[in-house]
């Protein structure tokens, strides 16, 4: 319903450019108040209903305001619709749109500010350290997250002795029987280019061209990363080119934490939720100490990489193996047809 309603609002916004709507806007726009007049009620809620699949049809136009109010959850003083014959005057349509956009902008701001704070904590994992976690610095971010989770209302948030962070959000009233969902991200980063503090750089209104990374002499070139051109006009966050940024996967951590705050602040109905942050993913040990039973979800989403609006449900087998090959060492003077090169033997495995 919300998706369908956004199409309705979008249609009304597009009509604001028409002469008729511009005329109404100039007349009904005192003190900057955002008021637009749609075309006929029948067009938006009847003839063109195919544009809005799933949007409920209503012949009694007088109940439309209460329905929309219920969907958008706005109070009476901020949302009114006046019906006059087959014209529907919508007060604060744009305000509704702008409020939604402002809310989205606020959430985006919350997420990226969290990311900037998290990348400042060094959490590179170390392959072969023999410890769990492989670096003690990962505990610094884990404890930070536990504190923030408790502040957001997740009272059972905690980190175990292997640096796995867990927390549960009880279902809202009436949703206790829903499927238990989980959200997971990893706290560690790769160890490459991680020998000094990260300096994030914010690129507002990105022009879609090659992106110079500070004074490092490094550039993100569109020919190498063609998806960059599709990000024109957006705000990008990079490092200064001398270190990694650490968005893999602290961006995922920030997104989950922003979700937790959104659920708490807006009291959005939901079923039981589990939150998990793991160490040592970059060295292939992220799942080794993860307590699935304690996590308690029936299905979970790993928020790590990928594009917007994209879900990956399959992946390759990331198991590893160590193989030792033995050759036969002979003095070169008598090695013909006798010596066996261990490297050539190893290459046969790939064939």
């Amino acid at each position: 319903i919300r998706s369908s309603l956004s199409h309705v609002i979008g249609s009304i916004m597009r009509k604001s450019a028409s002469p008729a709507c511009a005329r109404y806007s100039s007349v009904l726009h005192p003190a900057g108040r955002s008021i637009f007049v749609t075309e006929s009620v029948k067009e938006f809620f009847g003839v063109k209903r195919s544009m809005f699949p799933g949007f409920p049809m209503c012949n009694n136009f007088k109940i439309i305001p209460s329905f929309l109010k219920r969907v958008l959850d706005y109070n009476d003083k901020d949302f009114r619709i006046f019906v006059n014959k087959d014209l529907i005057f919508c007060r604060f349509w744009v305000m509704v749109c702008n409020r939604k956009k402002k809310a989205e902008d606020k959430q985006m701001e919350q997420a990226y500010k969290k990311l900037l704070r998290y990348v400042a904590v060094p959490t590179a994992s170390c392959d072969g350290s023999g410890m769990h976690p492989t670096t003690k610095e990962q505990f610094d971010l884990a404890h930070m997250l536990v504190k923030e989770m408790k502040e957001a209302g997740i009272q059972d948030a905690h980190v175990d002795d292997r640096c796995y962070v867990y927390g549960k959000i009880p279902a809202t009233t009436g949703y206790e029987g829903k499927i238990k969902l989980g959200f997971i991200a990893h706290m560690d980063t790769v160890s490459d280019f991680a020998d000094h503090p990260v300096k994030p750089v914010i690129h507002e209104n990105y022009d879609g061209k090659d992106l110079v990374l500070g004074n490092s002499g490094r550039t993100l070139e569109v020919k190498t990363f063609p998806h960059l051109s599709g990000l024109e006009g957006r705000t990008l966050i990079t490092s200064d080119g001398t270190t990694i940024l650490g968005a893999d996967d602290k961006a995922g951590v920030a997104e989950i934490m922003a979700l937790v705050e959104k659920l708490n602040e807006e009291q959005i109905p939901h079923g039981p939720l589990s939150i998990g942050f793991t160490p040592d993913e970059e060295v292939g040990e992220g799942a080794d100490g993860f307590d699935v039973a304690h996590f308690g979800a029936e299905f979970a989403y790993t928020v790590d990489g990928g594009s917007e609006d994209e879900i990956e449900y399959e992946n390759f087998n990331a198991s590893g193996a160590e193989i030792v090959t033995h050759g036969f060492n002979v003095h070169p003077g008598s090695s013909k047809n006798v010596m066996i090169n261990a490297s050539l033997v190893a290459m046969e495995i790939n064939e």
Side-chain angles (χ1 to χ4, degrees):
I1 291 175
R2 289 178 182 272
S3 175
S4 300
L5 189 61
S6 69
H7 287 297
V8 177
I9 294 176
S11 298
I12 292 174
M13 293 297 292
R14 287 193 292 274
K15 293 179 185 299
S16 66
S18 68
C21 237
R23 183 171 66 255
Y24 279 113
S25 296
S26 62
V27 173
L28 303 174
H29 213 286
R33 180 176 294 166
S34 301
I35 304 176
F36 285 89
V37 59
T38 75
E39 294 182 13
S40 72
V41 172
K42 292 180 181 179
E43 178 182 355
F44 280 100
F45 295 93
V47 177
K48 290 191 176 180
R49 62 186 175 188
S50 62
M51 293 172 56
F52 319 120
F55 197 87
M57 301 289 55
C58 175
N59 293 322
N60 183 356
F61 299 147
K62 292 185 178 180
I63 72 169
I64 292 176
S66 62
F67 166 74
L68 292 177
K69 176 178 174 292
R70 185 166 66 253
V71 171
L72 293 172
D73 197 26
Y74 284 98
N75 58 44
D76 286 330
K77 71 177 182 179
D78 287 338
F79 188 84
R80 299 180 188 275
I81 297 183
F82 305 95
V83 177
N84 181 7
K85 294 183 179 179
D86 68 339
L87 287 180
I88 182 168
F89 289 81
C90 304
R91 180 185 183 190
F92 297 149
W93 263 117
V94 179
M95 181 176 289
V96 171
C97 298
N98 287 343
R99 284 187 175 201
K100 180 179 179 182
K101 184 176 187 303
K102 287 179 181 178
E104 291 173 347
D105 289 345
K106 178 183 177 182
Q107 290 151 19
M108 181 64 73
E109 181 179 359
Q110 287 175 334
Y112 95 73
K113 285 186 175 180
K114 291 179 185 300
L115 172 62
L116 297 181
R117 188 166 67 252
Y118 299 157
V119 298
V121 182
T123 58
S125 48
C126 179
D127 194 12
S129 75
M131 299 189 302
H132 300 285
T134 58
T135 55
K136 63 180 182 180
E137 289 81 7
Q138 295 180 68
F139 272 114
D140 295 337
L141 180 56
H143 290 304
M144 178 189 295
L145 292 173
V146 168
K147 180 176 181 294
E148 292 183 12
M149 290 167 72
K150 288 186 175 181
E151 291 173 350
I154 305 179
Q155 296 304 318
D156 72 337
H158 62 282
V159 55
D160 67 11
D161 59 354
R162 296 189 63 172
C163 202
Y164 288 85
V165 176
Y166 302 95
K168 292 182 180 179
I169 305 176
T172 53
T173 303
Y175 288 78
E176 295 86 354
K178 299 297 183 180
I179 293 176
K180 299 176 182 178
L181 296 180
F183 295 93
I184 304 171
H186 66 90
M187 299 175 289
D188 66 311
T189 69
V190 296
S191 57
D192 302 303
F193 291 91
D195 59 347
H196 61 275
V198 174
K199 295 180 180 179
V201 179
I202 300 176
H203 309 266
E204 295 185 351
N205 195 25
Y206 168 56
D207 62 8
K209 300 178 182 178
D210 291 352
L211 193 60
V212 178
L213 301 180
N215 298 318
S216 67
R218 296 186 173 91
T219 300
L220 295 178
E221 299 179 342
V222 174
K223 67 178 182 181
T224 305
F225 305 99
H227 69 281
L228 285 173
S229 59
L231 300 176
E232 181 178 356
R234 306 185 70 172
T235 297
L236 305 188
I237 303 176
T238 70
S239 74
D240 64 353
T242 64
T243 66
I244 59 169
L245 176 61
D248 179 8
D249 183 31
K250 291 174 182 176
V253 174
E255 289 165 1
I256 293 174
M257 291 300 295
L259 168 66
V260 170
E261 289 190 356
K262 178 179 174 68
L263 292 175
N264 187 46
E265 292 174 1
E266 300 185 17
Q267 299 183 344
I268 298 173
H270 59 80
L273 300 176
S274 298
I275 307 297
F277 299 121
T278 66
D280 297 333
E281 187 268 358
E282 297 291 354
V283 295
E285 299 179 16
D288 288 3
F290 188 72
D291 191 334
V292 176
H294 179 62
F295 185 60
E298 297 173 74
F299 297 91
Y301 297 89
T302 298
V303 186
D304 185 358
S307 304
E308 294 169 308
D309 302 324
E310 179 180 279
I311 294 179
E312 299 171 2
Y313 57 90
E314 291 183 330
N315 68 289
F316 63 92
N317 187 329
S319 296
E322 292 185 6
I323 300 175
V324 178
T325 59
H326 296 276
F328 189 73
N329 193 17
V330 183
H331 189 279
S334 57
S335 64
K336 185 176 180 179
N337 298 325
V338 177
M339 184 174 72
I340 300 175
N341 188 314
S343 297
L344 295 177
V345 174
M347 291 171 63
E348 292 181 9
I349 299 174
N350 186 53
E351 294 176 357

